[in-house]
Amino acid sequence: MPNIPPPFSATYTPDDADIAARLLPSAHLGPPQEARIDRTATRLIEAIRKRDDRLGGGLGGVEDMLREFALSTKEGLALMVLAEALLRVPDARTADQFIEDKLGEGDFIHHETKSTAFLVNASAWALGLSARVIQPGETPDGTIGRLVKRLGAPAVRTATRQAMRLMGNHFVLGETIAQALERARPRSGERARYSFDMLGEGARTATDARRYFDAYASAIETIGKAAGNHPLPDRPGISVKLSALHPRFEAISRDRVMSELVPQLLDLAQRAKVHDLNFTVDAEEADRLELSLDVIAATLADPSLAGWDGFGLAIQAYQKRAGDVIDYVDALARTHDRTLMVRLVKGAYWDTEIKRAQERGLDGYPVFTRKAMTDLNYVACAQKLLSLRPRIFPQFATHNALSVATVLELAGVNGGFEFQRLHGMGEALYEQLAKDHPEIAYRTYAPVGSHRDLLAYLVRRLLENGANSSFVAQASDYRVPVTALLQRPADAVVRPQQASHPKIPLPGDLFAPERRNSRGVEFGARAALERLLTEVKAETIDFKPVTEATPDQANAAVAAARAGFAAWSRTPAATRAVALEQAAHLLENRAPHFIALLQREGGKTLDDALSELREATDFCRYYAAQGRKLFGNDVAMPGPTGESNALAMRGRGVFVAISPWNFPLAIFLGQVTAALMAGNSVVAKPAEQTPRIAVEAVRLLHEAGIPASALHLVAGDGRIGAALTAHPDIAGIVFTGSTEVARSINRALAAKDGPIVPLIAETGGINTMVADATALPEQVADDVVTSAFRSAGQRCSALRLLFVQEDVADRMIEMIAGAARELKIGDASDVATHIGPVIDVEAKQRLDAHIARMKREARLHFAGTAPKGCFVAPHIFELEDAGQLTSEVFGPILHVVRYPAENLECVLQAIERTGYGLTLGIHSRIDDTIEAIVDRVQIGNIYVNRNMIGAVVGVQPFGGNGLSGTGPKAGGPHYLARFATEQTVTINTAAAGGNAALLAGDE
């Protein structure tokens, strides 16, 4: 067997300016070549504009849809959301509400169609008809509801669904591979190349993965039988998505992926080889690139594929590592002495990549932030691919006339490449290209699958091509001169310093100038992950028992803090802020040490430990920034002439901070740094399960500049906490923990004589999520599994109770259970672990008792298997009534309740009856439903169409209402003020003989 080249390695987020400096000098060709490119591109653009259908009509395509319903309009956005979700809604009531909601957002009634394309006119007519019947604000529940139901609702539903299906029929080649092959059959002697793409989201469950595998295998057999006798590359192909073949296609599960997915991919490749098909592995997101290449390399190394030149993969030019990937693929081709097919695309997940890098706190972006840089890199990658012929067979996927013309010029007359277009797009361009260059081949990339699966795909294509800056959008806009479309990417970039988008800050500068974003690690970057793992493993932790304080020592700590209060409260706010910022700096520099601490004492997985470290860092920087504003200078108040009025904030005195074990670093430091920034001295009592983390955190704060006299640590159990809260000299308490303990603290404070001091409490909740029939099942499954089971369910914000509309409940529950089954439970130090231990034996016993009760009283949908030790596996129970869950269950146990669509109000009442108000999730595409729920419930943090954990400091201030806490929200702009007193100083400036300033003033 030939050797596999070393694993792919390249800088994950290289600097845009460095890449531009490398690409710009060679970007321009000679004047004759540039002139030929202009002539070719102009001819193609003119062909696109002649196909406008203003005169002759026709079926129409994406270009027509974008011209008719631009994404910059309300109609375009409404159409996109409607297309994405409508056909998966099974019940009439929800469909009616959804249609009314979306059609009400745009002016479909008065929409004048600009095209005679059949597709566009039929869709516009159907949507306009629907909008006339259901006016904004008129739902089936309204006063006109009876009329709508009697005369219009079924017709509305039918018309709108038909409009969606009409789009579906155009953009999908067939709902089955047999239908697609029938439509793809050449007519009138033409020869057409196709690559079939089996639609669908990535697999969430083993059942999903097997279904996708079977679909691919069946499609390969069916395509192969109909493929004819032409040799490669003039043969049909199929595209496969690795994330569809494995439910945990992620970097941390690499070992499992390699052992389970490689044999499956090899099996499919062997089947494709039998029929000599083009077999393309589709591109995934940037964090999966290295894993994808590992899988591809291992598959290619199998001797059974020798002698076959149909294996290929897609490379995304918007990824900065695209050139490095081409070099790696070339090395694979050399190693195995065969031709590989490479589809070059620009990329379809740009917005997702930008957001992920910002959320992860990376040093930069894995993709370009300017479209011109992507276009520039596309040309550079095209040059490289063409230079590697015939070992590499390039396939250029583009609808950009300038890109096509440039590739044609670069390719010369040697052939050995093809173009590709999406079915339903680029028809006019490629018809003209075929007339002008009949020797040039192009392949149609054709989606195959149900309309339900297609429309999510269509929305991605609309987003990809519908931006105002995209060629597809501009080419059909006569207001854009052809010369503008011929501008070279290098001329748009101009110089390396302009390679980055000026309005997209680097992830680290997301909150600038106020503060830096905390630094993270991308686990999909092998070098970064391995470096972190090595550093964490090398850390030695002193687990010598932390001495618990006696009540006398607790009292002494309060007395010492009281003595230190005066000096610390008079320390300038800027100095206090600098100490907090230095603490953040030290935390990041010592990340491996604190991650090791969190894993070994707190049982945290690597992902959870890193996230907690980042949250602690964010608290330090955020409160420093807030403190500078609130405590830096007195605020001048308005008033009459002759006097000054100033409002100042100052510390209260000694604050007691009582923190929990579930976030022993982040919440501990969040409480302590807020109290310190406000000018208070602090006595901190950590949870008895995690004192070592608190010891190290206090040591770090002292090193950062917090005086020992201002910050004191007292370890111990609840008795020590009770002694501290009862002390007469404390000026306030900040507490995170159970509702029961918060109540006891509140009673203790109320029973004391002396000053009335504040209690800032954040407690738990029976946190709920509501998912209706418009929600995407895969997204619901992802968010439910994350919200309910991450951190072993030991988060205040974790999902405990899911309400799911009964019409879609079976499918959603099945998918959630299947996704939960794929989670790995075990040793938190293993990078592949998703769920670590619960905190102690007592917690496990409580959870086991609840599971036993639920097995008697509820329907069990899923029960995971846990290893020996303090582990509790995920469980999913279906309840008859939400009232069966009477208290918070602090672990990986999800409770599900079905509800009829018409009973949403009953769901909201059930949520209110719990008395809690911490977090709520909503999954719906109906804006009116979302707004109604948000307006109706008193919940501290509401998350829409995403998971409901992991509140980010300064972005999602965190805290609840009712039994879930007192407020104000941690990590928010009102938090520090609660730790302070206010003082107003009024000075009569005219007391010494008059108001000189007024008398001296000019008229």
Side-chain angles (χ1 to χ4, degrees):
M1 180 187 294
N3 294 323
I4 302 176
F8 173 78
S9 178
T11 303
Y12 192 82
T13 58
D15 184 69
D16 298 60
D18 291 345
I19 298 173
R22 189 174 72 248
L23 298 183
L24 284 172
S26 58
H28 287 290
L29 304 176
Q33 292 174 291
E34 296 287 2
R36 285 196 295 271
I37 291 172
D38 279 347
R39 288 196 295 272
T40 301
T42 298
R43 185 165 172 80
L44 295 174
I45 293 168
E46 288 173 347
I48 293 170
R49 291 184 169 180
K50 286 178 182 176
R51 179 76 176 273
D52 183 4
D53 293 316
R54 287 171 182 270
L55 300 176
L59 185 59
V62 167
E63 295 95 332
D64 299 296
M65 293 298 298
L66 289 173
R67 182 163 57 247
E68 198 67 30
F69 300 109
L71 294 187
S72 57
T73 66
K74 290 181 179 179
E75 292 89 348
L77 291 171
L79 177 64
M80 183 182 72
V81 178
L82 194 61
E84 189 269 338
L86 178 63
L87 295 187
R88 67 168 174 263
V89 178
D91 67 297
R93 180 189 180 89
T94 305
D96 290 345
Q97 290 176 327
F98 186 40
I99 292 167
E100 187 273 337
D101 183 80
K102 294 305 156 201
L103 297 189
E105 291 179 1
D107 188 7
F108 290 95
I109 298 175
H110 301 102
H111 186 89
E112 295 293 334
T113 56
K114 300 185 283 288
S115 172
T116 58
F118 172 71
L119 167 69
V120 173
N121 274 309
S123 298
W125 177 83
L127 294 170
L129 168 67
S130 301
R132 286 186 177 89
V133 177
I134 298 182
Q135 291 286 304
E138 297 171 358
T139 69
D141 294 328
T143 55
I144 183 177
R146 291 184 301 277
L147 180 62
V148 171
K149 286 180 179 177
R150 182 166 58 87
L151 299 179
V156 169
R157 202 179 311 125
T158 300
T160 311
R161 285 183 185 273
Q162 192 58 35
M164 297 300 104
R165 285 198 175 92
L166 189 60
M167 287 192 292
N169 279 326
H170 185 61
F171 298 115
V172 69
L173 194 61
E175 291 202 63
T176 66
I177 193 68
Q179 291 175 359
L181 285 168
E182 177 61 28
R183 285 186 68 183
R185 181 181 298 171
R187 290 171 175 79
S188 303
E190 66 177 358
R191 287 171 59 185
R193 296 179 184 177
Y194 279 87
S195 181
F196 299 97
D197 175 28
M198 310 303 291
L199 288 173
E201 299 289 323
R204 268 56 177 187
T205 71
T207 302
D208 287 342
R210 185 68 209 181
R211 186 175 68 252
Y212 284 125
F213 176 89
D214 291 342
Y216 286 137
S218 175
I220 289 170
E221 187 66 21
T222 305
I223 295 167
K225 288 179 179 178
N229 299 317
H230 296 293
L232 278 170
D234 192 15
R235 293 184 66 72
I238 188 169
S239 297
V240 300
K241 198 170 180 63
L242 297 181
S243 57
L245 292 171
H246 199 280
R248 299 304 307 189
F249 187 66
E250 58 189 356
I252 64 170
S253 299
R254 182 186 184 279
D255 290 346
R256 180 184 170 193
V257 167
M258 295 302 290
S259 66
E260 296 175 359
L261 178 54
V262 170
Q264 288 187 302
L265 185 64
L266 177 61
D267 187 337
L268 293 175
Q270 290 167 337
R271 294 168 188 253
K273 181 191 174 187
V274 168
H275 299 288
D276 206 24
L277 301 180
N278 174 200
F279 180 84
T280 301
V281 178
D282 261 338
E284 304 275 351
E285 295 85 348
D287 62 295
R288 291 168 163 175
L289 174 63
E290 293 178 12
L291 181 60
S292 296
L293 293 175
D294 287 347
V295 170
I296 289 168
T299 303
L300 277 174
D302 193 279
S304 66
L305 300 183
W308 173 46
D309 294 336
F311 195 101
L313 73 159
I315 296 177
Q316 299 162 317
Y318 74 178
Q319 283 209 39
K320 298 175 183 178
R321 296 175 290 173
D324 300 303
V325 176
I326 293 172
D327 292 338
Y328 181 75
V329 172
D330 181 50
L332 289 176
R334 288 174 182 270
T335 298
H336 301 299
D337 190 25
R338 72 183 72 151
T339 297
L340 293 178
M341 307 180 90
V342 176
R343 174 192 296 149
L344 183 66
V345 301
K346 292 188 178 176
Y349 305 103
W350 180 80
D351 51 338
T352 302
E353 299 286 8
I354 296 296
K355 182 179 181 181
R356 179 181 172 88
Q358 291 177 345
E359 289 176 334
R360 289 266 165 162
L362 303 185
D363 293 333
Y365 295 103
V367 297
F368 296 106
T369 54
R370 285 194 65 190
K371 182 182 179 300
M373 278 298 298
T374 294
D375 291 340
L376 182 66
N377 197 44
Y378 189 92
V379 173
C381 289
Q383 284 180 300
K384 179 174 285 193
L385 288 170
L386 289 166
S387 72
L388 296 175
R389 293 175 292 179
R391 193 168 50 252
I392 298 295
F393 182 81
Q395 301 168 302
F396 300 106
T398 181
H399 305 112
N400 186 314
L402 181 60
S403 297
V404 169
T406 303
V407 168
L408 279 175
E409 186 62 36
L410 294 171
V413 296
N414 296 327
F417 73 97
E418 70 181 22
F419 288 105
Q420 293 191 356
R421 71 174 183 88
L422 291 170
H423 174 67
M425 295 186 63
E427 293 172 351
L429 186 157
Y430 281 101
E431 282 179 9
Q432 187 64 48
L433 182 68
K435 291 177 183 176
D436 295 345
H437 298 275
E439 76 284 2
I440 299 297
Y442 75 86
R443 186 182 303 269
T444 300
Y445 184 88
V448 179
S450 71
H451 296 142
R452 184 182 70 177
D453 291 330
L454 165 85
L455 289 167
Y457 160 90
L458 172 60
V459 166
R460 174 52 57 185
R461 300 288 80 76
L462 289 171
L463 284 171
E464 184 182 357
N465 295 285
N468 292 336
S469 60
S470 80
F471 176 86
V472 171
Q474 291 184 337
S476 57
D477 187 347
Y478 283 79
R479 295 169 298 180
V480 178
V482 171
T483 53
L485 298 176
L486 298 179
Q487 184 188 40
R488 303 302 192 263
D491 296 332
V493 175
V494 182
R495 58 181 65 89
Q497 294 78 10
Q498 295 175 222
S500 300
H501 197 296
K503 294 183 180 179
I504 301 178
L506 289 173
D509 298 327
L510 188 60
F511 307 116
E514 185 177 86
R515 61 185 171 99
R516 280 198 59 74
N517 189 10
S518 56
R519 187 168 65 237
V521 176
E522 175 51 68
F523 291 176
R526 190 189 342 259
L529 178 60
E530 290 180 350
R531 182 168 56 250
L532 178 62
L533 288 171
T534 300
E535 292 171 346
V536 170
K537 188 176 181 179
E539 286 293 328
T540 56
I541 306 297
D542 177 14
F543 275 109
K544 182 174 62 179
V546 175
T547 303
E548 294 194 356
T550 65
D552 287 344
Q553 289 170 324
N555 291 334
V558 174
R562 183 172 174 81
F565 167 67
W568 178 246
S569 67
R570 291 187 176 92
T571 300
T575 303
R576 301 199 296 261
V578 167
L580 266 59
E581 288 165 342
Q582 177 63 11
H585 176 71
L586 293 174
L587 278 171
E588 289 192 328
N589 283 352
R590 297 172 191 173
H593 179 73
F594 280 96
I595 287 172
L597 256 177
L598 287 163
Q599 290 199 289
R600 296 172 200 176
E601 185 177 53
K604 300 272 183 176
T605 63
L606 183 67
D607 198 7
D608 280 344
L610 176 60
S611 296
E612 180 162 356
L613 177 81
R614 293 189 61 209
E615 184 178 4
T617 304
D618 284 334
F619 271 132
C620 292
R621 290 191 177 126
Y622 181 75
Y623 291 145
Q626 289 291 308
R628 279 193 171 94
K629 292 187 286 188
L630 290 174
F631 299 93
N633 296 301
D634 297 351
V635 178
M637 307 300 290
T641 184
E643 71 179 32
S644 68
N645 296 281
L647 178 66
M649 301 187 75
R650 54 201 303 174
R652 290 177 175 272
V654 179
F655 244 87
V656 171
I658 302 175
S659 56
W661 50 258
N662 64 330
F663 284 90
L665 182 66
I667 292 180
F668 178 86
L669 279 178
Q671 292 178 345
V672 169
T673 55
L676 289 169
M677 188 62 238
N680 301 289
S681 56
V682 177
V683 176
K685 193 209 87 66
E688 59 188 287
Q689 296 92 337
T690 52
R692 171 59 53 188
I693 295 167
V695 168
E696 300 264 5
V698 167
R699 186 179 297 157
L700 179 139
L701 287 172
H702 286 157
E703 182 182 345
I706 305 297
S709 59
L711 174 58
H712 304 261
L713 181 70
V714 176
D717 59 16
R719 291 171 296 178
I720 295 301
L724 291 172
T725 59
H727 199 289
D729 288 339
I730 64 169
I733 297 175
V734 55
F735 167 81
T736 299
S738 71
T739 303
E740 292 73 20
V741 175
R743 283 198 187 105
S744 67
I745 294 173
N746 192 41
R747 293 190 189 104
L749 293 177
K752 287 196 299 185
D753 292 331
I756 300 171
V757 302
L759 167 61
I760 306 169
E762 191 266 285
T763 58
I766 300 179
N767 304 310
T768 58
M769 179 184 288
V770 180
D772 72 13
T774 65
L776 182 65
E778 289 82 1
Q779 187 177 16
V780 173
D782 289 346
D783 293 340
V784 167
V785 167
T786 298
S787 302
F789 303 135
R790 184 171 172 178
S791 310
Q794 298 174 123
R795 290 175 179 247
C796 304
S797 56
L799 172 62
R800 311 297 180 198
L801 179 60
L802 170 66
F803 291 94
V804 59
Q805 187 175 324
E806 61 183 7
D807 306 275
V808 293
D810 287 341
R811 172 70 174 133
M812 285 191 180
I813 294 171
E814 178 187 12
M815 186 175 290
I816 293 164
R821 187 173 286 110
E822 301 304 318
L823 300 174
K824 180 176 180 179
I825 310 167
D827 180 5
S829 65
D830 181 352
V831 68
T833 295
H834 300 106
I835 299 177
V838 295
I839 190 62
D840 55 25
V841 173
E842 185 181 346
K844 175 176 167 55
Q845 290 171 343
R846 282 196 302 270
L847 293 168
D848 286 344
H850 181 78
I851 289 169
R853 178 194 148 210
M854 285 292 103
K855 285 182 176 178
R856 296 190 304 270
E857 299 178 7
R859 177 185 175 189
L860 176 65
H861 280 284
F862 174 71
T865 302
K868 292 181 179 179
C870 276
F871 295 96
V872 176
H875 281 69
I876 301 174
F877 294 101
E878 183 175 338
L879 308 179
E880 285 291 331
D881 182 83
Q884 291 174 258
L885 187 62
T886 56
S887 61
E888 180 181 30
V889 179
F890 211 70
I893 303 171
L894 175 67
H895 309 82
V896 183
V897 175
R898 301 171 190 247
Y899 74 94
E902 63 272 17
N903 283 6
L904 179 61
E905 174 60 26
C906 296
V907 170
L908 302 183
Q909 290 174 7
I911 294 172
E912 288 182 328
R913 280 196 298 271
T914 68
Y916 293 99
L918 189 55
T919 61
L920 169 71
I922 304 171
H923 268 275
S924 176
R925 296 296 193 268
I926 305 177
D927 290 343
D928 284 350
T929 296
I930 296 167
E931 291 167 8
I933 295 174
V934 170
D935 183 63
R936 177 76 161 71
V937 296
Q938 291 291 320
I939 304 289
N941 285 64
I942 299 178
Y943 300 94
V944 179
N945 294 328
R946 54 151 286 171
N947 70 60
M948 47 192 280
I949 62 171
V952 177
V953 174
V955 178
Q956 295 127 4
F958 187 74
N961 309 305
L963 298 178
S964 295
T966 63
K969 286 176 171 291
H974 308 302
Y975 194 60
L976 288 187
R978 188 64 175 140
F979 289 84
T981 60
E982 297 177 296
Q983 183 181 63
T984 301
V985 177
T986 299
I987 300 174
N988 180 6
T989 57
N995 187 346
L998 181 64
L999 293 171
D1002 294 331
E1003 291 187 6

